[in-house]
């Protein structure tokens, strides 16, 4: 006797809708697109610089002249935005180049807007790449002074907006940063510039490769005094709530992969546009395993990005953006 006749599977044979690619396409709940991506770029002084970053294969330090071709390529791939990180010529105690009129990111912003006016130029606003001690704010003794830092972040945001930044993205994790930046932008006739706040940013070891790329490793201590403690999720919701109440237009959870629960909770609780940062360590792990032949890079990267979107992200900052856009077009 046929076994199935005795089974009570009834109407629910979930495999029925998995039998062909056409069926799977029809019932797919999450669709990844190049339009979901924001591509991070690392800008350096000089001319003709295009050097691969050792800890992040496929990512480069680029000078402003090289940036033009790069952002045209990004735009042609259908990726709507880039986020810029700068390596300054000089670092000092107060991160002066972060808010210098001719700072590296200010120059890069002008170059991006010249080369591809329609692409969104997002400015990461923080001091860590610019301070001699590598912390995200100014120090008082061995501690980062929250309120003294706010003033400098506000200056950095205004100078970035004046250089053409379409979006300001503060990643410093100081309390009150969104309010301080919003007020400064408004006073400088930059009311139209939105703030994408790195609202729930964890003190994560997954930033390792980035710190080599951005030369921003703290000279002493770590960032646990201002970035979030990884075990906490309710606190992340309070961080997000706080940034929204201060005027954030969009919010971010960072890192992404080990924090999909945070992303999903944020998606449920808040209606603001939600970004996720698929950070350097997440990228580097995939690259390293793929180079060893242990993983299929394309399938793993697309699976990770799809999972981040499924968890609730409207936009994904990812070093895989260009490759993923090509893979998606080829599909
Ligand atoms: C700057 C900043 C960091 C990242 C984005 N902005 C580093 C940090 O907080 O140490 C990390 C990005 C990545 O790892 O890809 N504050």
């Amino acid at each position: 006797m046929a076994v199935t006749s005795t089974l009570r599977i009834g109407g629910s044979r979930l495999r029925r809708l998995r039998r062909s690619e056409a069926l799977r396409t029809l019932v797919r709940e999450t669709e990844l697109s190049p339009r979901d991506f924001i591509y991070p770029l690392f800008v350096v002084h000089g001319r003709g610089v295009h050097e691969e970053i050792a800890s992040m294969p496929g990512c480069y330090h680029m000078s402003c002249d090289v940036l033009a071709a790069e952002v045209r390529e990004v735009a042609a791939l259908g990726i709507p935005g880039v986020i810029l990180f700068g390596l300054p010529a000089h670092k000092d105690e107060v991160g002066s180049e972060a808010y210098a009129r001719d700072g590296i990111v200010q120059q890069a912003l002008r170059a991006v807007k010249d080369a591809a006016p329609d692409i969104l130029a997002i400015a990461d606003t923080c001091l860590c790449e610019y301070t001699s001690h590598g912390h995200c704010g100014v120090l008082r003794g061995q501690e980062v002074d929250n309120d003294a830092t706010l003033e400098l972040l506000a200056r950095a945001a205004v100078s970035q907006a004046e250089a053409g930044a379409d979006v300001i993205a503060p990643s410093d994790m100081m309390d009150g940063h969104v309010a301080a930046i919003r007020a400064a932008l408004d006073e400088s006739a930059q009311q139209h510039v939105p703030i994408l706040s790195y609202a729930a940013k964890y003190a994560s070891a997954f930033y390792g490769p980035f710190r080599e790329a951005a030369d921003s490793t703290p000279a002493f201590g770590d960032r646990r005094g201002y970035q979030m403690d990884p075990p906490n999720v309710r606190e992340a919701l309070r961080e997000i709530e706080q940034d929204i109440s201060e005027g954030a237009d969009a919010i971010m959870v960072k890192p992404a992969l080990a924090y999909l629960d945070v992303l999903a909770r944020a998606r449920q609780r808040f209606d603001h546009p939600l970004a996720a940062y698929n950070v350097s360590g997440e990228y580097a792990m995939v690259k390293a395993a793929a180079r060893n032949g242990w993983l299929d890079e394309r399938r793993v990267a697309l699976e990770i990005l799809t999972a981040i979107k499924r968890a609730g992200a409207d936009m994904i900052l990812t070093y895989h953006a260009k490759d993923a856009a090509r893979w998606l077009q080829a599909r």
Side-chain angles (χ1 to χ4, degrees):
M1 192 170 72
V3 180
T4 45
S5 67
T6 63
L7 290 177
R8 299 234 171 269
I9 297 176
S12 62
R13 282 182 186 270
L14 290 163
R15 288 182 53 190
R16 279 185 197 123
L17 295 177
R18 294 178 199 144
R19 285 191 61 236
S20 68
E21 183 52 26
L23 277 167
R24 291 190 294 270
T25 300
L26 211 55
V27 300
R28 193 157 289 140
E29 298 173 34
T30 307
E31 198 83 61
L32 203 60
S33 147
R35 300 262 157 228
D36 301 327
F37 302 145
I38 294 167
Y39 188 53
L41 292 170
F42 297 95
V43 201
V44 296
H45 285 283
R47 285 193 68 77
V49 184
H50 191 249
E51 278 166 18
E52 192 166 38
I53 298 163
S55 56
M56 300 173 67
C59 295
Y60 296 82
H61 284 135
M62 281 175 236
S63 49
C64 287
D65 54 329
V66 172
L67 208 55
E70 179 73 12
V71 292
R72 280 191 214 109
E73 187 186 340
V74 170
L77 286 166
I79 297 164
V82 294
I83 183 163
L84 297 170
F85 297 96
L87 286 89
H90 302 289
K91 298 182 189 242
D92 60 28
E93 288 278 301
V94 291
S96 301
E97 204 180 311
Y99 37 90
R101 213 181 174 318
D102 251 332
I104 184 64
V105 159
Q106 286 77 2
Q107 290 183 36
L109 286 163
R110 290 185 208 109
V112 169
K113 295 316 292 181
D114 271 353
D118 292 335
I119 205 163
L120 277 180
I122 305 173
D124 178 271
T125 305
C126 194
L127 299 186
C128 65
E129 295 126 65
Y130 306 92
T131 50
S132 43
H133 44 75
H135 279 285
C136 300
V138 284
L139 299 179
R140 187 194 283 160
Q142 298 282 90
E143 269 207 63
V144 173
D145 184 335
N146 192 90
D147 297 10
T149 299
L150 294 182
E151 202 178 306
L152 302 182
L153 290 168
R155 279 174 68 181
V158 169
S159 79
Q160 290 168 336
E162 286 174 351
D166 297 300
V167 179
I168 296 296
S171 64
D172 50 277
M173 287 301 279
M174 296 301 121
D175 286 322
H177 63 164
V178 174
I181 289 171
R182 184 72 271 159
L185 288 173
D186 292 354
E187 278 163 26
S188 316
Q190 303 289 346
Q191 299 91 334
H192 54 283
V193 176
I195 297 174
L196 163 60
S197 171
Y198 287 68
K201 175 174 175 181
Y202 287 86
S204 171
F206 283 99
Y207 307 152
F210 174 95
R211 290 188 185 167
E212 191 182 319
D215 187 26
S216 64
T217 308
F220 65 88
D222 52 45
R223 304 206 203 290
R224 285 183 288 186
Y226 39 102
Q227 297 180 347
M228 280 189 57
D229 201 18
N232 295 358
V233 61
R234 294 192 306 268
E235 187 187 345
L237 302 176
R238 295 181 65 203
E239 278 283 3
I240 294 169
E241 200 157 45
Q242 175 86 42
D243 282 9
I244 288 174
S245 75
E246 290 178 25
D249 300 281
I251 52 180
M252 194 194 302
V253 171
K254 174 183 174 194
L257 199 47
Y259 298 84
L260 293 182
D261 58 325
V262 182
L263 209 51
R265 295 275 295 270
R267 173 74 301 157
Q268 273 169 10
R269 177 86 68 95
F270 302 102
D271 290 330
H272 281 59
L274 180 59
Y277 202 137
N278 176 218
V279 300
S280 57
E282 301 170 24
Y283 172 81
M285 288 194 304
V286 174
K287 282 283 177 191
R291 282 192 164 189
N292 277 298
W294 296 337
L295 287 177
D296 177 335
E297 181 181 3
R298 173 183 167 144
R299 288 191 57 202
V300 167
L302 290 176
E303 186 174 331
I304 288 172
L305 294 168
T306 303
I308 294 170
K309 187 164 183 190
R310 188 193 63 225
D314 298 305
M315 45 196 138
I316 307 171
L317 293 81
T318 178
Y319 304 98
H320 264 122
K322 279 168 59 184
D323 284 337
R326 287 194 198 99
W327 295 329
L328 290 169
Q329 280 167 1
R331 241 196 336 215

